[in-house]
Amino acid sequence: MGLVKIKGIKVTPEKTVRYVVNREKTMNNLLVDGINCTRNAETIIAKMKYYRKWYQVDKTRKNLSFHVIHSISNNENISADLFHTMSVEWCKRVFPENVLAVISTHNNTDSLHSHVLINNVCLDGASLTLDKTWHREATRISNELCQRYNLVHSIIDRDNPKGVQSKSWWEYQQANKGNSWKAML
């Protein structure tokens, strides 16, 4: 949860939905939850398309959906179930309650991470924008949850320009494994 990354999906949210709810990565979909939708990939895709078409936003907005990834340090000792519970709580706090989203936790890599795929339009037709202000608040809430669950390695100092957020994902992974040439210097 310490690291929050946002990607705008401009072309094919269907591929991202199928990747996010992949049974092999989510303990046979036990680590998948939906906000205002189900766990089924086809139902999620249909519902997202329906709301974009209903509010006619495909041609007026740059992103069809947003793919948010948040993860914790490899040094944390937490179960996938508990991390998924934290992820769902995090989502409910950082996104409006009328958003259409699917949340999944992948436990098939060295570090636990969650994927959140959010439709670009809310159920009431309001536009969803994830900007730097949103990112700062999402990181603050993530830090709050990390403190509550004693995940000290995953707390990010957003005010320190030389902190974790200035590293690429690959550099962050290498630093956690002890292979970072920057850390060695």
Side-chain angles (χ1 to χ4, degrees), residues 17-61:
V17 169
R18 289 187 182 93
Y19 173 77
V20 167
V21 298
N22 186 332
R23 289 182 173 276
E24 296 170 6
K25 299 177 183 198
T26 60
M27 292 173 49
N28 206 18
N29 279 359
L30 289 176
L31 300 176
V32 177
D33 276 301
I35 298 177
N36 298 316
C37 64
T38 66
R39 298 178 182 193
N40 181 299
E42 300 310 316
T43 306
I44 295 165
I45 292 167
K47 200 166 184 180
M48 286 183 169
K49 280 183 180 179
Y50 173 80
Y51 278 98
R52 284 197 308 267
K53 186 176 180 182
W54 178 261
Y55 292 109
Q56 300 176 356
V57 296
D58 281 352
K59 295 175 184 160
T60 59
R61 298 199 184 132

Side-chain angles (χ1 to χ4, degrees), residues 2 5 7 19 26 28 31 65 67 75-77 87 92 102 112 118 132-133 162 166:
K5 185 176 178 181
K7 294 180 181 181
Y19 173 77
T26 60
N28 206 18
L31 300 176
S65 59
H67 183 186
N75 299 331
E76 303 293 1
N77 185 17
S87 295
K92 288 181 179 179
V102 62
L112 286 174
I118 310 110
K132 288 182 182 181
T133 304
K162 297 190 188 265
S166 64

Side-chain angles (χ1 to χ4, degrees), residues 69-185:
I69 304 166
H70 55 99
S71 62
I72 56 173
S73 170
N74 298 351
N75 299 331
E76 303 293 1
N77 185 17
I78 187 171
S79 70
D81 290 336
L82 183 56
F83 179 68
H84 183 69
T85 302
M86 286 174 50
S87 295
V88 171
E89 182 180 347
W90 179 79
C91 286
K92 288 181 179 179
R93 289 182 61 188
V94 298
F95 296 114
E97 61 184 45
N98 64 343
V99 76
L100 184 62
V102 62
I103 309 152
S104 72
T105 300
H106 289 188
N107 66 341
N108 63 326
T109 61
D110 291 341
S111 64
L112 286 174
H113 59 282
S114 290
H115 295 269
V116 184
L117 186 69
I118 310 110
N119 207 21
N120 69 343
V121 62
C122 295
L123 300 179
D124 61 358
S127 176
L128 185 66
T129 304
L130 305 182
D131 55 8
K132 288 182 182 181
T133 304
W134 177 89
H135 191 262
R136 182 170 291 280
E137 181 65 11
T139 303
R140 185 192 67 73
I141 292 170
S142 173
N143 286 340
E144 202 177 283
L145 289 170
C146 286
Q147 277 184 322
R148 186 181 337 146
Y149 288 93
N150 296 320
L151 304 178
V152 294
H153 302 288
S154 297
I155 297 172
I156 294 177
D157 183 5
R158 294 281 306 164
D159 298 323
N160 178 6
K162 297 190 188 265
V164 176
Q165 75 277 3
S166 64
K167 295 178 185 177
S168 71
W169 177 251
W170 185 83
E171 289 174 322
Y172 176 74
Q173 292 290 12
Q174 295 306 310
N176 280 338
K177 292 178 184 175
N179 298 334
S180 171
W181 63 271
K182 291 180 180 179
M184 289 181 204
L185 286 177

